Amino acid sequence: MVPALALRCHGGLPPQQCVEAAVAAERAGFSSVWFAENPYARGAWPAAAACAVATRRVRIGFGVFTPHTRHPALMAMEIAAFDELSEGRAVLGIGAGIPSRVQRIARVDRPLSAVRDAVMITRALLHGGSVSYIGKAFSADGVRLDFAPRRADVPILTAAMGEQALRLCGTIADGVIISNLVPPAFTRRAVGIIREAAARANRPAPREIVQYVPYAVGDDGAEARRRAKRSVAPMLMAYTATASAATRTAMSDYGRPAEFARAMARLRSGERAEDVIDDALLAEYAIAGTPAECVAQCAIYAEAGVTELAVAPIGERGAEQIARFGAALR
């Protein structure tokens, strides 16, 4: 068994390239297209709107918007309008964002409270009627949308890595989004925490466990892995410098901690990624190889509890890689 396959688009991609990839993903049978939005990269809305018009079936998700830069009332306004445009295919992800980037333009005093308030206010506004809510980070005083949303039950997922954030997801969200470059062993633990929190809150466990992961596929599995190593190495270096403490812990303390520490030390000393990252370590952070090998790696994520694997193609010919990966899963 493998998870549903989705496409992840990031702010480094121009909208036109996202549209090409989204159309290829829909043709390949992918379930969703996810748009990451981080400060100072491209905003998600232009590419997402263009993809909504260019496709007919795939869900289009935002993973994630942060309430530190977008008020929950604005989130509700925008996602409700986008759900109309996409004819009921919108999915909203809310998270605190990357602290090192967000705090340059906004205060990040109560990240968990901000996420909780954002989910509660946005969901209430989507249900219609007047909303009054007093939160620790955000409040609403008799606010309502001036139009009736197409759906009151637009799925709202939260991004979570730390234990408190994972428990919050279990108590209020429809699902979780797990960061890029996180080993399946962490995801297995995260799913357990979410389910435990949901049970304590006497609510069903969130249905969706979405994980982001880079991938490279090709007829020559060794070449695809080399390509992935050259891409993943600088990503790991960047994440260890800028990601949240919880994300850095998830990267380093699960999977192969000793090998990870040695590899990072060698990368910092200037050694080549191909010489430092072996195939086993690469498999903790990326999917790479022949189509059959990639499918086998997807199954590992399913065993960890992932319901949707949002993959980002590494290198050129992204649409071709999407088509080959989709064909291998049929």
Side-chain angles (χ1 to χ4, degrees):
M1 184 179 72
V2 297
L5 201 61
L7 172 71
R8 177 181 180 266
C9 295
H10 54 79
L13 302 174
Q16 296 88 338
Q17 191 171 340
C18 292
V19 171
E20 178 185 1
V23 170
E26 182 166 81
R27 289 174 179 167
F30 283 33
S31 56
S32 307
V33 178
W34 285 92
F35 289 88
E37 183 178 87
N38 292 316
Y40 324 122
R42 292 178 178 85
W45 279 119
C51 290
V53 173
T55 60
R56 290 291 177 268
R57 182 188 56 78
V58 290
R59 300 191 310 168
I60 300 180
F62 298 88
V64 295
F65 288 149
T66 172
H68 298 298
T69 58
R70 183 181 274 107
H71 192 278
L74 178 59
M75 287 192 199
M77 294 160 53
E78 292 179 332
I79 201 68
F82 182 76
D83 201 45
E84 292 178 325
L85 175 66
S86 63
E87 299 182 324
R89 293 182 285 144
V91 186
L92 175 61
I94 299 176
I98 302 174
S100 61
R101 287 176 171 256
V102 176
Q103 65 190 7
R104 298 179 190 176
I105 55 174
R107 294 180 63 181
V108 189
D109 295 334
R110 298 172 178 264
L112 286 179
S113 295
V115 171
R116 176 188 292 276
D117 293 345
V119 172
M120 302 304 288
I121 292 171
T122 302
R123 181 176 283 143
L125 286 170
L126 291 173
H127 275 83
S130 179
V131 176
S132 292
Y133 175 92
I134 299 176
K136 294 181 179 180
F138 297 98
S139 299
D141 183 9
V143 176
R144 67 182 300 159
L145 297 179
D146 289 340
F147 63 101
R150 177 188 173 99
R151 289 187 298 164
D153 59 347
V154 172
I156 300 179
L157 283 64
T158 59
M161 297 299 296
E163 187 164 329
Q164 288 183 306
L166 291 166
R167 294 192 184 283
L168 178 63
C169 171
T171 59
I172 67 170
D174 297 314
V176 68
I177 300 171
I178 302 291
S179 174
N180 235 3
L181 303 179
V182 171
F186 170 82
T187 304
R188 186 176 297 108
R189 172 181 176 271
V191 170
I193 292 172
I194 291 169
R195 290 174 177 169
E196 179 187 359
R200 289 185 176 182
N202 292 315
R203 69 186 296 258
R207 296 185 305 274
E208 298 201 52
I209 309 295
V210 179
Q211 179 152 358
Y212 291 166
V213 62
Y215 84 101
V217 62
D219 288 333
D220 185 336
E223 189 282 327
R225 285 185 287 275
R226 284 192 295 270
R227 178 160 33 104
K229 292 172 186 179
R230 290 192 292 267
S231 178
V232 166
M235 292 170 66
L236 289 172
M237 296 283 284
Y239 269 50
T240 55
T242 63
S244 68
T247 300
R248 294 197 302 271
T249 297
M251 290 170 55
S252 62
D253 292 3
Y254 295 83
R256 297 172 179 268
E259 291 90 335
F260 176 84
R262 285 194 294 269
M264 294 307 298
R266 293 176 64 186
L267 289 172
R268 293 189 188 101
S269 71
E271 292 189 54
R272 296 192 316 163
E274 300 96 309
D275 298 330
V276 170
I277 301 175
D278 63 24
D279 291 354
L281 185 60
L282 176 68
E284 301 290 346
Y285 303 100
I287 290 173
T290 65
E293 289 170 336
C294 288
V295 171
Q297 292 170 56
C298 287
I300 295 172
Y301 287 91
E303 293 168 1
V306 173
T307 62
E308 186 171 80
L309 201 59
V311 297
I314 292 171
E316 299 178 356
R317 299 194 298 275
E320 179 182 326
Q321 290 192 70
I322 291 166
R324 298 196 66 185
F325 205 171
L329 287 169
R330 291 173 185 164

